[in-house]
Amino acid sequence: MRDVDYMPEAIASQGPTTSNLADILERVLDKGIVIAGDIKIDLLDIELLTIRLRLFVASVETARKAGIDWWETDPALSSRAARDEMEQENRMLRERLEALESGERDRERETAGERGKSGAGAGA
């Protein structure tokens, strides 16, 4: 073998490039990865338990591009969602209270009107 035939640099550059964990994680988060699986437990051909697992690992930006944003609307995970839920509940309670109070005012007017009619009829 001649010196010209043996080039260690050429051999090393043809092999796969190694990546560190940060590079791999960056690639996965940038593109996203989906892991799906089913776990079934049967006893004598009777299905006792089925667990379906779906895992999507990605960056927030990649997940939004895929149309996934459930963490923004879950009150347990988002303070804005919790605040929005509380504001909606307060609005509904105020509407119910207003409806109850207006119904009570209407009944009071009806009762006052009936008293006025019965008082005017008794004097005539």
Side-chain angles (χ1 to χ4, degrees):
M1 180 178 356
R2 293 179 290 159
D3 288 338
V4 176
D5 293 337
Y6 180 69
M7 291 186 258
E9 307 87 34
I11 294 170
S13 66
Q14 291 174 354
T17 60
T18 59
S19 300
N20 62 21
L21 183 61
D23 291 339
I24 293 169
L25 186 59
E26 182 180 342
R27 238 178 269 148
V28 166
L29 291 177
D30 184 46
K31 301 294 181 188
I33 184 169
V34 176
I35 300 170
D38 294 335
I39 299 171
K40 260 180 137 172
I41 299 175
D42 295 343
L43 180 64
L44 300 173
D45 293 328
I46 299 171
E47 186 176 317
L48 298 176
L49 177 67
T50 299
I51 300 173
R52 295 178 185 263
L53 302 172
R54 304 293 181 260
L55 177 65
F56 178 59
V57 179
S59 68
V60 170
E61 182 180 324
T62 303
R64 282 190 182 132
K65 286 179 185 175
I68 301 170
D69 61 355
W70 51 263
W71 62 87
E72 292 178 352
T73 58
D74 188 340
L77 300 173
S78 168
S79 60
R80 185 181 71 219
R83 187 177 53 248
D84 292 347
E85 183 180 48
M86 190 177 356
E87 287 174 359
Q88 181 181 5
E89 182 180 1
N90 285 342
R91 186 173 41 257
M92 287 173 36
L93 288 171
R94 285 187 184 113
E95 289 171 1
R96 288 181 60 194
L97 181 60
E98 178 61 34
L100 288 170
E101 287 176 345
S102 67
E104 188 175 313
R105 282 191 298 260
D106 292 344
R107 282 190 299 278
E108 287 174 358
R109 282 189 215 129
E110 288 175 7
T111 305
E114 289 173 7
R115 277 190 242 148
K117 288 179 184 177
S118 63

